[in-house]
């Protein structure tokens, strides 16, 4: 399998370059998840990075490659979005009830 040295920006991996395996299309995955073990033996913390374009060339404006930026929220994101799919349900705000009195 092919790999590409891909830079990481933001978060704990800022400034590092790692070889990332390329998919069938020749692109790295849209999200890159890095599990970090907990020192106390609890569940690992997962760092989430999102793929963004690295930049564009001056002459032809072609894309120069990809880089990963840190996503502190670490939401699921990605995945297929079909037109007939229902949006994810939102949880109601907790606090008080809507009755006056």
């Amino acid at each position: 399998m092919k790999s590409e040295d891909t830079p990481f920006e933001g978060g704990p991996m800022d400034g590092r370059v790692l070889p990332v395996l390329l998919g069938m299309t020749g692109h790295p995955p849209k999200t890159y998840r890095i599990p970090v073990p907990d020192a106390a033996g609890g569940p690992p913390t997962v760092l989430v990075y999102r793929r963004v374009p690295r930049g564009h060339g001056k002459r032809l404006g072609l894309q120069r490659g990809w880089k990963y930026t840190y996503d502190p929220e670490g939401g699921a994101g990605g995945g297929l979005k079909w037109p007939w799919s229902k949006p994810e349900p939102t949880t109601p705000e907790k606090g008080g009830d809507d009755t006056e009195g």
Side-chain angles (χ1 to χ4, degrees):
M1 296 213 57
K2 287 180 117 180
S3 65
E4 179 180 291
D5 289 339
T6 309
F8 286 77
E9 289 184 352
M13 299 291 290
D14 190 29
R16 296 191 187 182
V17 177
L18 296 177
V20 177
L21 291 176
L22 303 178
M24 301 271 293
T25 60
H27 298 288
K30 290 182 180 179
T31 57
Y32 195 82
R33 298 175 188 278
I34 304 170
V36 179
D38 186 32
T45 303
V46 178
L47 303 175
V48 178
Y49 284 84
R50 304 254 178 237
R51 181 185 75 184
V52 295
R54 189 183 303 183
H56 297 285
K58 292 181 181 179
R59 295 188 69 155
L60 298 175
L62 299 175
Q63 187 174 324
R64 292 178 31 211
W66 301 98
K67 65 182 176 182
Y68 284 105
T69 58
Y70 181 60
D71 182 8
E73 309 242 340
L80 297 174
K81 292 184 171 77
W82 301 103
W84 55 83
S85 299
K86 294 181 181 177
E88 292 185 20
T90 58
T91 57
E93 296 286 329
K94 293 183 179 178
D97 52 281
D98 295 334
T99 59
E100 293 181 18

